[in-house]
Amino acid sequence: MSLIGKGILKGMGVTAKNFFQSYYRKERLPTVEYPEEKATINQFSRNFPFLLYDGDDPVDGMRCTACTLCERACPPQCIYIIKDKDENGKAILSPRIFDIDTSVCMSCQLCVEVCPYEAIRMDSAFELSNENRFEGLLLNREELLKPNAYYHEIHPLEARETDDRMAAKAALAEAKKKARQKRARLAAKNKPPPGLKKTPPTRKKPPQREKSE
Amino acid sequence: MIVAFYLLALIAVLGAGLAITLRNVVHAVFSVLLFFSALAGLFLLLLAEFIAAVQVLVYIGSVGILMLFAIMLTTNVVGDPNRPVQSRGWVWGGLAVVALLAGVLLPIISRTGGQSPTPLSDFNPSVKQLGLVLMDPYFASLGVIALLLTAGLIGAVVAATGASEADQAKTVPENRPRFPNN
Amino acid sequence: MNNYFDLKLVELGRWIEAFFAHYPTLKLVVHLLLCTLPLALSFMGAFAFTTWLERKGLARIQNRPGPNRVGLFGLLQPIADGIKMLLKEDIVPERSDKLFHFLAPIMLMIPAMIGVGFLPLGDGLHALPLDSAIIFFFAISSLNTIAVFMAGWSSRNKYSLLGGMRAVAQMISYEIPLVLSAVAVIMMAGSLNAQEVVASQQISSWVGSGNILQEFFGRILGWNVFKPWGFAGFIFFFIAALAEANRSPFDLPEADSEIIAGHLTEYSGFKYAILFMGEYISAFAIAGIGVTLFLGGWNGPVFAGLPWFVLKLFSLFAVMIWIRGTLPRLRVDQLMGYAWKFLFPLAILNIFLAGFYHFLERQWGTAIAMLAGWLFGFGALQLAAIALSRLNQSPTIRSKRVYQLVE
Amino acid sequence: MNLFDFSHSVGWLWWIPLFPLMATVWLGFFNPSGKFAAAVANAALLASLLLSIRAFAMTWGPEAGVLTANFTWIQVAGVNLEFGVVLNPLTGAMLAMVTFVGLLIFLYSTSYMSRDPGMTRFFCYLSLFMVGMLGLVMSNSLLLLFMFWEIVGLASYLLIGFWFRKPSAAAAAKKAFITTRIGDLGFLLGLLWAFKATSTFLLFDGGQGLLEIEQITALSATKDVLFGLNGAGVIALFLFIGAVGKSGQLPLHVWLPDAMEGPTPVSALIHAATMVAAGVFLVARAFPLFLADATVLGIVSWVGALTALFAALVALGQYDIKRILAYSTVSQLGLMMVGLGAGGLALSEGGVSIGTFHLLTHAFFKALLFLGAGAIIHGCGHEQDIRLMGGVFNRMKVASICYLAGALALCAFPFTSGYYSKDQILLSAWTAHGAVFWISASASLLTAFYMTRQCCYVFLGDYRGKGPIRQSPSLMTAPLVILAIFSLAMGIVSEEFYHILTYLSGIAVDQHAWIVVVVSWVIALGGIALGLLIYGGSQLGLDATDPMKGSLRTPYAWLENQFFIDELYDATVARLWKASAVLIVFLESGIHFLVETVRGLVTGMGGFLSKTIDQKLIDQISFDGVCDRIYKSGRLNAIIQNGFLQGYLRSVTLGAVILGVLYLVFAR
Amino acid sequence: MGLTLHHFLILSAILFSIGLVGALTRRHIIIMLICLEIMLNAANLNLIAFWHFSSNPLLMHGPLFTLFAIAIAATEAALGLALVLAIFRHYKTIDLESIRDLKE
């Protein structure tokens, strides 16, 4: 038969404890004077996406190859990509324009998962407020590009993983290329120069395919 | 003292007057509250402190709010504009009252002036004295008042919530036949 | 040392009035001013301080420092708020009842200010020394119900009307336990006059005697809160006071999550500030009455008088803040049920307990009365409380709600 | 008087009629099935029989004499009417005879009526009759006797009219009832006269009773009250009129032959043994009254003799077997009256025993004859006309033999019971009055003659009826045999061994006259021989005329039609009745005229009152007028009550104002 | 010239008649109830005035009766309003003009 007010008193006790301990116990006052001190940002927090580039020149080192997979995957469609062309009109694998509208983005991280080239990652910067809420929040390519070092800085763990993964892939590609060269060399060696007898087989179109389409 | 009296009297008359003339019922109720507070002031003037406190507590505190609640629970709070404020033949009502006032009240008052108009005597009123009187000769009436209050209020609750009507509503079909000719 | 401070103040008052000796009417006006003006200003100041106190206290409870940017330790925060309020645009809804929309804040201030006037601050310091001060206080405090209604009604907004009606209902139903628990004290003190109630809370035999220790404790142990019926009464009074002032667990009307700010929705700018201040000051008034009735008014061991009163007042207010930090908000029906089905019967039982204590004391002296009071009286109250709580908890099968008036 | 005191008082005598009464009530209300009803009636009668035998035994004992048990029935105007029972030799004998013969007849009718649907009703009426008869026999107060007398009359009416669907039965019942009623009227007058004279009904009341010496001497003291008779004589005469009605003496005998419409056991029980004997019993009971006046005795004997002769003559001309027996009963009753009258004259108190003895013996052989006739009718397929019977002797041996025994006793064949009792009568007639003797003797001769005629018709020759003759069941023949034994042996036994005559009258009775003995022998044997002679060999049957008729053409026709007595009555009494009816109608019209005029007067005045005063004065002016005026003013007021709340308030304030002003002005 | 009884009597008379006028003329039932309250208060004022200027105020008769009068007035108000609610529920209007069922 507990005393009627027991529950309330226990509660009051807890708040009183917090009140007094907040003066001399550190963990009882975890807040920081924000504008002056900034608490370290939690490495797993995520805000809006940003583009990565290796090396020091942002445009050259850009990992993004403008494959527009992220554009298509983005639910609110806040990503806008236009491929780049070199001087003689041939497409080159990098975006001329890459805009993200942060006012629309819901930071769902789908673009990161979809990107085959580990080119886009979620940033944890939060001080994004500015006076113009239309153009101000539309980040273009230059504002989005950030060095890999920054990535290591904000998400150390995740950055290291992605680097390892890229290194592994590069090694794999290297090995495959070497193998292909070796095979080519091998083939060149055991087949004499008279390559004339063997005319390349002409591709005959199998008749039944048209009928089936 | 005189100034206070005239001031309070003016407020009282104003309050009452407004109460009966305003079209918006809520305004009327608030003006009546003003009237009640003016009266409390008058009671204080007459050194009946406890009565002033009770007046404030009972009238302004509960009856006022009761009125407000009643208004909330009924319609045309603002008073529909197309119907005249007064009821039919209000002139006769007015005349009757004026006749009463002039013909009866004032002459009587003038006649009672017999005793010497003793000025406002000052004695320190005490609630203890009232308490003693209440307990001693008038204890029975206190009991009666208590009984009246309980019975009246219970009756009020029943009437207001329409408990009986609610049951009736269940039994009696909604479209009760109304009297043919009225 | 006792009352030294109060007497000094009274002398000061006399000294000022002396200047206007030969202008009687002017002297009267000055006297009135001296009685009311300092009181008003001091309580407004107190209001400012308490807003700071509240925000700092709540913050600390929630493990955050609280306002510390404006001025040292954020002391100038209230002033900052005030200025902000002044700057804010004062919006009045187009179809609202302009007159009463304007009057509501004023109407809320009146009872708060007058209520404070009834508090016996010190030995001679009593703004409105009425014989039936306590009953007048409760009468006046019932006025702010009307103010709340006026606010709710005049802003012609569904939420504000609902909030207003809920606040009114709550204040009405908590007025009764408030008054009943006060009745116990008045019955024991034997008079409605606040000064006499405070005087009754000293152990007169000890205070007069020379012995230092007795002198010291005489002024403490006499407090009503140390008597069984006093302690129970204080708890009920305090709970009812919280509800009456619309604070903490009972602040449903302006529950931010539900009806925006209740009857305060349509107010902004300075009117909101005044309403806010009115509520705080009426909270102060009720706390003040609580102090006078239960915590011995200006009685205190060393320098009895105003300091003790202020100290107790602010400590009571601190407890209010403390409670605000801990307890969650009550639902409407729980709130109403709690008043009528829990506090009301217990308050009545407390009155009987007080009566029982009174005759016991007269019969066998205070010691035995104290013992019996605490053991049996308090035990009885406990039992009644448990029984009532169990009774209330019994799940009442709600019949289908019949809306009488809406067809 | 205590029903349960079986020791010495005779209070328990009441049980005898009570048993049959219980049976009647049971059968009457609960209507059990036929067989069961018969059993109940027989059981009740058996119980009465046992008690009667006990009573009969008590009368023989040394303390015989008159034992009475009286109680006051009601108190009327200061006079308490007393009832009671009396036990003297006359009562004892009659009780034994009635219950014994009754039981035999009950058993007989149990089988005779077994196929009749109304069997329960039949036994109920029989038990009712038994109640009446037993009550009558033992009642000690004339009024009580009269009551039972009426019950017996009722029972006879019910039983005669048993097959009420037959109109003739119903008419016969009514006729019987009415004619006995005329006799009862005489009885009632005698009753009242006796009461007026002695203010008591009780016959034996410890000295104060009617039949006691003291009252008799007081009555006979008043001379020439009526027709030259003294007080007692007048009462006796009226009582005798009652007896004439009940026993079917000459003027009032017409109902008895017609009473044969009822079932045969009824005729046997009521119209042979018991009820008709009630008249004779009454005379025997009130004998001291008769003795007080010789002329009454003369009247009795002459009426008896004439009835005997007349009935015997008529019996000659009848063809219905039961009708012949009926007329023989009438003539035998006449002889009993002669026995009483002449006996009284000859032996004063002893006369009682002469008449009663013949009554007892006659009861047995007449019951036998009737039951025998019943068996024969039953056997011949309910054929009652003797001309359609014949040759019954060799078909129904036992019944015929018993029937013949009864016939012999009736004809007073020497040494049968009939011979002894008739012999005594003739002896007392001889000593009393010669003419009466010769009439009685010729009547006895004719009796013997028509009995043999009947026997020849029925038994000799071959069977002239249709269908086979069915043997009657044993339950019917057993009573016949018992009765036959009694009718033969009773005479010798009671005369020689028990000296019944001295027992019955209380004083020694011994008459000897050899001429009378010779005459009686001649009568008996002559009559039988004459009958055999005429009817023995002749051709009998429906088509053949009756031998007697052949020779005495017209007088025989008179006999057949019973001397046209019925037609005589019709002519006289009926026409008288019609004349009185016409007179009444005439009177009626006179009264009618008076009534008419009075009515006219009253209605006229009433009309005047209602029209002028009631309508005009009260309705229009005073009452209705006021009402509708009130109503109109009511409507006027209603306008004020128009539900307008504030209107009411205003009127209130107006009133206040007026009051205030008045107060101010006047109460200075 | 201090306050005298006349002042108060005249004031209460005026207030009483204002209440009465209201009661007699206004169409709205609740206003009628309010006017009723006004009349009652005028009476109370009268009572206290007479008590105050009476010979022996300490007997406290005036306040006593006023106390009772206020209590009764409060109950009456509560009942009146309850009835008003009942009337409203039944007639769907609280306009005095239309509630004429008492009419013959």
Side-chain angles (χ1 to χ4, degrees), chain C residues 331-350:
Chain C
R331 236 192 15 242
V332 175
D333 57 334
Q334 282 169 341
L335 185 118
M336 299 303 284
Y338 188 69
W340 288 104
K341 288 190 256 185
F342 188 75
L343 277 186
F344 179 47
L346 283 183
I348 292 180
L349 194 64
N350 187 22

Side-chain angles (χ1 to χ4, degrees), chain E residues 32-57:
Chain E
M32 263 187 80
L33 281 177
I34 290 172
C35 297
L36 196 65
E37 292 301 323
I38 294 174
M39 284 195 265
L40 277 169
N41 273 353
N44 285 350
L45 179 65
N46 223 343
L47 209 60
I48 294 290
F50 271 107
W51 162 72
H52 180 77
F53 290 98
S54 69
S55 56
N56 178 0

